[in-house]
Amino acid sequence: MQTTPYSTGTNSASYVEIGDVKVPINNPKNPELVPHGNLHFWGNSLDNAPQEVLGHLRWMAQKSLLGQDIFLTGPPSSNRRRLILSLAELCGWECEYLMITKDTTEADLKQRREIVGDSVVWCDSAPVRAAINGRILIIDGMENAERNVLPTINNLLENREMMLEDGRFLMKGDTIKQLQQSDKAGEATDLALSARLIPVHPSFRVVALGLPVPPYQGRVLDPPLRSRFQSRFINELSLSDALDCVNTAGLTASGTAGNGASENLKAVAGVYEALRSMRGEAIKDGSGAAAVPSFSMDGLRHSLNLLRASPPVSVANALSRSIPLGYAWRPSADLGMEVPVSMGSALSQKHKTVLQALMEKIRALPVSAGATARVDGVHKDKKGRNHVLTSHQQRVLDEVTQDLSLGRNVCMLGGKGSGKSYILQKLAANVEQDMLVFPVYQEMSGRDLLQRRGTTTETTTQGGGELSASTNVGVNASSLWLDSPLIKAARTGRLCVLDGVDRIDPQALLAIRTLISSPTYFPAEPSFGLAAGVEAREVDLPSGERLQVHENFRLIALGGPPIKSEDARVRYLNSDLNLSFHLLPDVTPTDIERVLRNHTAAANATAMPDKKTAEVLSQVDHQLMIAIRSLYQNSGKNHLELRPSLRHAQRVQATLRTMLCNNIHSAETVSKEEIGALVHSMLSQALLVRFLSAASAAQFEDAMESVGLGPVKSHKSGKFFKFLKKETNAQRADRSISIDSTKNTVTIGNITVDRRTCELPELVPQPLFHANASHLQVLESLLLSYKASYETDEKAILLIGNQGVGKNKLVDRLLQVLNAEREYIQLHRDTTIQSLTLIPLLEQGQLTYQDSPLVRAAQTGRILVCDEVDKAPLEVICMLKGLIGDGELVLHDGRRLLSMMRAQAEYEHALKISQQSSSVEVGPFEGFCSANQIVPMHPDFRIFVLANRPGHPFQGNAFFRECGDLFSCHVIENLDVQSEVALLSAFAPNVDTKTIGRIAETFADLRGLNDSGVLNYPFSAREAVAIVKHLQAYPQDQVEMAVEDILGFDGMNPQVRTVIAEVFRKRGFHITAEAPNVTTAGVAVPLRIKGGRGRDEQARGSTPRTNSNMPKHGKHDADNKPHVGGNTWAGGSGGSDTAGLGGRGGPYRLQDPGNHPVHQVSDADKAAVSRESREAAAAMAKQAFEERLRDISMGKNDYAVYQQYRSNISLQVAQLKEILNDITSRGKERVWLRNQSQGNLDDSKLVDGLSGERLVFKRRGYSDNAAADLTNTNSDEGPVPKKKIQFVVDVSGSMMRFNGMDRRLERMLEASLLIMEALPRRGPVSSSEDGVEEVGEDSGTNNAELAELLEYSISGHSGDTPDELFVDFPTDEEEPESLANQVTDLFTSRRNRKNGKNRPRVPRGILNERDKMSTMEKMVAHAQFCLPGDHTLEATELAIDRVLQGIEEGDNTQRMVIVLSDANFERYDIDPADVSRIMRKSDKVKVHMILIASLRDEAEKVAKELPLGYAHLCSESSDLPSILRRILVSSFEA
C-alpha cells in the first residue's frame, strides 16, 4: 500500500503517472470524442487536487490496465461522471456516452435501422461503436433500466462478444485470429469470416454510473450484471477537499470585508458539512439517506460565486438557490398567515429540525454592504399597457438574471398564477437573446427532449457509426434526426424555456443531464482569482452526434411546486441537474391591487371616460378589491380554489369595464348595491362557485357578505341585472333581448360588435336554433366576453354545464350571427398532443404532417370550437394552457405557433442584429417567419371550449383546476320553465300546450331532485325534446309511452324509478314504479307484422321442459358455464325446477357466479307449473330462509325490522354505491404504454416502423405491467387518496326521548345503516357468537379495491361516555387470543344466547346482516339506558385523535370526522366557541357537525359559530340520511 501522497505528472510524452500507476497516453483518431475542460473542476491544477480525487483516479487507472469494467456509485452528484471524464481527458481516451432511462430499448444498446435512399441500413449504437473503436463506454443511470434490458450487454462485458442485427458478430481479436489460423478451407472462407467477425478493440472499457438502490429509487442490479463490474463508492468530498477544489478568493481576505466574507464562507461550509454528516449518519443507522438533500460541489461553487457577485446576496439566499431547501417561511401580512414557498416538507422531521436550526443562524448573518433594494419593475403587456411586477416577481427576476449571467441554468417553481409568464416576458425584454419555449408533458421520453425521427428526400449523413446496407424498400426517402427546440437553442446559443418540468417523468430529464450539468462558463475575474475561459459542454444525441453546446445557451425550467414528498426528493432535492432554484410565492391581494390600478390608469389614458363613468369605474375597482381581499383572508388554507388569481382579477375588471362603458349612459343611476351584485356575480362565475363543494360555496358567500357584497334583493333600474343571474319573468318583460344584424355589425341586447368577413361560407355554422329568453340572455353574455377578449387579448371562452343544456347550439348560433368560420375538434381519452396539432401522413416513404383544425384556425383567424375538453388527458389540457396563456405552441414538425406579438418581437430582434452585423440579412416579416419555422397566430383567432360540469355523474378530468383561470367562464344552466315551454313548443307545435307545460314542470322537478342529491342523473332539455318530438311525430301514442324512452336506463333500478315515477304522477302522468314488461304500453290496438324477410324462421330462446317436476336446488357447476333451459344446474337461466333466474318452478332465486345473461320464460309457461310443485317450492324457500337467519343469528322479526330500515335508505345506498364504483373505475384507468411489440401503431414512431423497428406500438395498460394500484394510479388526476373516516353518532337519552316527536333515533339508525351498507370494508369475515365462521358480505359493494382505499369506524356519545365503539376500523387479522379465552368465550356465548343475552362484540372486519342489525340494537339500547348528559366536545376530540393515529411522513390519507348531535348545548352549558375550537384542532382532519334542530333557534345559533361549510343543519330528521350522503359524496369528489 502506498504511503506517500498521490501525485500526477508525466515523465515521458507517452505516459501519465498517478502515484505508482503508469497509464499510456492514447493518440486519438477522433479528438472531438475526447472530453476536455473537466480538469479545471478539481482546482487550478490537477497536481494540487485533493488526495481523495487522485485516489479515485489511481483506482480507475488500475482497473483499466487490468482490462476490467468498473461501476461508480454514490449519492447524487456529478462527481462520478467528472472523475471518469477527467481520467479520459488525461489519457486521451475517446468516450461514448449512453444515458439509461426506462425508455431504453435493445436498439439503443446494439443497432437501429435507418433509411438511406432506397435502402434500410443498420446504424451502430454507442456500445457497438465503443467496442469496435476501443473507446470508453460510459453508461449513466444504471438504476433506471427496466427489467431484462441490460442483459443485452452481459456477454459483451464478460466475453467481449455480441451478435449484431445486421449479421455481424463482435468477438475478441485474438479469438478471431485463432479461428482464421485454424481454418483450412481457403482464402474465400477467410474473407467471409473477416467480413462477418468484427474484432473488439482491446482498449474497449465500460464505466457504469448509478445510485445505490436502496436507499435511492430505482431497480437493484441483476446479480449476473453486477458480478461483471468492479465497484467503487464515490462520496461527496470532505469539506477541506471541496474548498480546495472550489476557488475561495475574496472570501478569506483580511479586514472588515474579509471578516464578513469569512463568516459567510463558514456558514456555507457549515451547511455542506452538515448535509454530508447527516447522510453518513443516515447510512449507518438505516434511517433513509435518500431524504437528505444533495449539496454538490457544483452547488457549493455557485453559492460562493453568488457571495462575491455584484450586487452581493445573503448566505441564505445563495444557499436556497443551490439547494431547494426552502426552510424559510415567508410571512405574509396580506394573508394573515405563513405561506410555504419551499419543499422542506419533503424531509424527515429529524433532518428538518437540524437544518432549521442551522438556517436560523444563517439568516441572522448581515447582508454585505452594497446590496440595494429594488423597486417594482414595469413592463409593457400585450396591448402596450404597463404591467407592474410584484416585489416577489421582481426579486426572482433579478436573481434569475444574475444566475444566467454567471452561466447557471435556472429552475423556477411556482403555483398557478404566481407570475412565471410575466417574469419570462420581462426577461425576454431585458436580455439580448432569443427565447424558445419547449412545453414538455408526461408521455415524453428522454429521446423526445433531444431529437425526433423524420424523413427527407435527400440522402443525409447520419452522425456516429457505420451504416450497413440491407433490404431495398423501393422509396426515395431517407430517415434523419430532427432537433428539438432544446437542441436548437443549444446549437445556436439561445435561451430555452422548458415548460412543465413538474409533469414530465423525472427519468426523462436525466437525458439532458450532460447538456445542462457539464462544466459551465466562468468569466475571467482576476480580482477574484477566478480562472478564465470556457469549459466545454457536450451532449451525445440519439443520432450519434456529439454536440458542442454553444457558450451562450441557457435553460430555464418552469414547473409547479411538488405535491408529494417523494416527488420532491427524486425530481429536485436529490437531482444533480445543476440547476439554480427559484421559488415563487402566490400573489397577494396587495399585488393584485397594484396591477389593477395600473391597468385602470392605462385604460383611462387610452380612452378617457366622462366624469360619471369614471366615478362608477372607480367604485367597481374599489368593490372588486374589497371582494378579493375578503376571499383571501377568509378562504385560508382549506379553500385555495376561492383565491382569485391575477388573471381572474384582470378578466373580471376588463369585463366589468366593457359592460359599464356600453350601458352606463342609458342608466339613470347605478347604486352601490348593484355594483356589489355585479362584482359578486362576476367573481362567482370566474371561480365556478356553482360547481364547488357546499363548504367552498358557503365560504364564498360568507366572504362576500362580510364586506356587504351579494345578490341584489330588489329590482330597480335593471340595466345590469341581465349579467348577474337568470332574470325572472317580470324582469324579462321590462327588457326584451333580440338579435339584430346588419351587414357589418351584430347586436344582441345591449352589446354590439363587428361582423366578420368569411372566405369559406361553408365553414359558418347553420344550426337549428329556436330562440328563447334564457338562451338569448346567455348569447348576450357570450357576446360581451367575445368583445372584451379584444381588450384583454385573451382568446379562450369556456361554456360549462350539464349535458343537454345547449352549449353547442349556443356557440353555433353566436358564430352564425357573427358570420364567423368555425373549425371543430372533439377531445376524448385517446387525444394526444400530436393528434391535436398535426396529423402524420406517410406519402411515398416520406413522413409529412397535415395541419389539424387547431393549427388551421390559428393561422386563418377562425373560431376553434373545442368540444368535450374535460374528457381529454390533463397533459393535452396543459398544452392548451401554453397556447392560450403564453401564446406559443411547438408543433411536432418543428414549427412554432406564436402569437403575433411574440413573432413580431423576434423579427424586431433579428432586425436589430442585422443592423449590427452586415453578414446577417433579414428579409420581410413573412419570409423571416417561413425561414425560422414560425407560424404567427391571427389576431382574430379565438377558442370556444365546451365542457361538462365537474363531479359525479360526469366522468371527465379536473381540467378547470389545471387551467381554469385562462378562460372567460360561462355556466350554462338548465332552462327555466317558461323558456323550456317555448323551446318544446317550437319542436312540437301540434302538441297540446298544457301537456308541454306539464312536461316542462316535471323536468324542473326532476332537476330539483338532482340538485338536492336525491337523483344522480341530471335530466336536461334534451330528454324533454325527445319526448315532445315523439309526440309530434306519433300523436296517437300516449305521453307515458314516450316517457319510457328515457326511463329504460333505470329499468333495473326500482328505487330510482320509484322516485321518478312519483314526480311524473304528481304532474298527471301515469308512470308505473316498475318497468313495463310489454313494450307496447300505451298502444290501443294489438300489433301485427306484415312483410319482411326471414318470417319462416323460428324464434330462438329458452325452451323449458313442458312438464315441471318437483323443485330442487340443482347441481353446482365448478366451471361457471352458462346454462339455459333444462332442470339440472343451480344458478341457470330460463329452466325448470332448479334455483336460478328467469325460469319456472324453482324454489328460490339464485344468481350464477358467472353473471351470464338472464333468459326469461313466458308468463304462460310459469302458470303451467302444478300447484303441488309451487307449494313444494315455497316450502323449500321458507326452509332456506330460516337456515340463513340461523346462520347469522337473526330471528324472523329481527330480519323484518332490518329489511324495513334497509328499504327506507335503498335509494341513497344505491346512489352512493354508484359514486364509489365510479371512483374505483377512475383509479383503475390505464395509460398508454409505449415501446410495445403489439397494439396500436405509435404515430411518433412511424419512421422507426418504416425502417423495421419492432417496438413501435403502444397499448393501454398499467405501468410496469402491474395491476391497478389505486393508491399510486397513473390516471390523469394523480393518486387516489386514501380516506379514514370516524363517524360519531348521538346515542344520548334525548334521541330516545324525542323519537316519538320527529323519529330522530330511527333516522339516526337509518344513517348508520347507510354507512354500513354503502361503504366497503376489508378484513376477515364475521363470526357468530359460538365461534363458527360465517359467510360475510362486503357491505353490498363487492369492491375490494375501494375497501383498500377507505376505512371507517362508528362510535357514539351520550351522557355515559364520549366514546362508545360500535364498529372499529377494519383489520386484516383477528386480535390474538389465548386458547383458554377462546374456550371460555365459546361456552359463555352459548350460555348467554340460551338466556336471551348476546355478548357485546365490536366488529372489525366485513359486516354481515347480523352485524349491522346488532349494531343498531346496541345504539337503541344505549339510548334507552344511558344517563342524561352531553359529551359532544370530548367525543369530537377523541375522534380526531383516533383518525390521526398511524400518520406517517408523506401520508396520502385524507382524514375526516363526522359528528351527529342534537345541539342541546345550552342545557349542558357547552359553549359553541369551544365546539368550533375542537373542530379546528388539526388541519389534517376535516370535521363535519350535523345538528339535529330539536330546538331550531339554538341549532341555528350554534351553526353560525362553527366553521363555515362544515356545520349542517338538519331541520327535518328525515333529511338526516340525505345530509350524510351529501357529505360523503362531496368528500369523495374533492
Side-chain angles (χ1 to χ4, degrees), residues 407-422:
R408 189 79 166 178
N409 298 301
V410 170
C411 177
M412 277 198 300
L413 302 178
K416 181 177 64 174
S418 57
K420 298 186 291 292
S421 298
Y422 291 130

Side-chain angles (χ1 to χ4, degrees), residues 36 44 262 278 391 559 586 638 649 715 837 845 1067 1105 1120 1165 1449 1506 1523 1528 1532:
H36 59 282
N44 292 332
S262 179
M278 210 179 298
S391 57
D586 294 335
N638 295 325
H715 180 67
T837 55
R1067 295 296 179 181
R1105 295 166 56 92
N1120 291 329
D1165 288 332
E1449 174 72 19
L1506 302 186
I1523 292 173
L1528 292 173
F1532 282 114

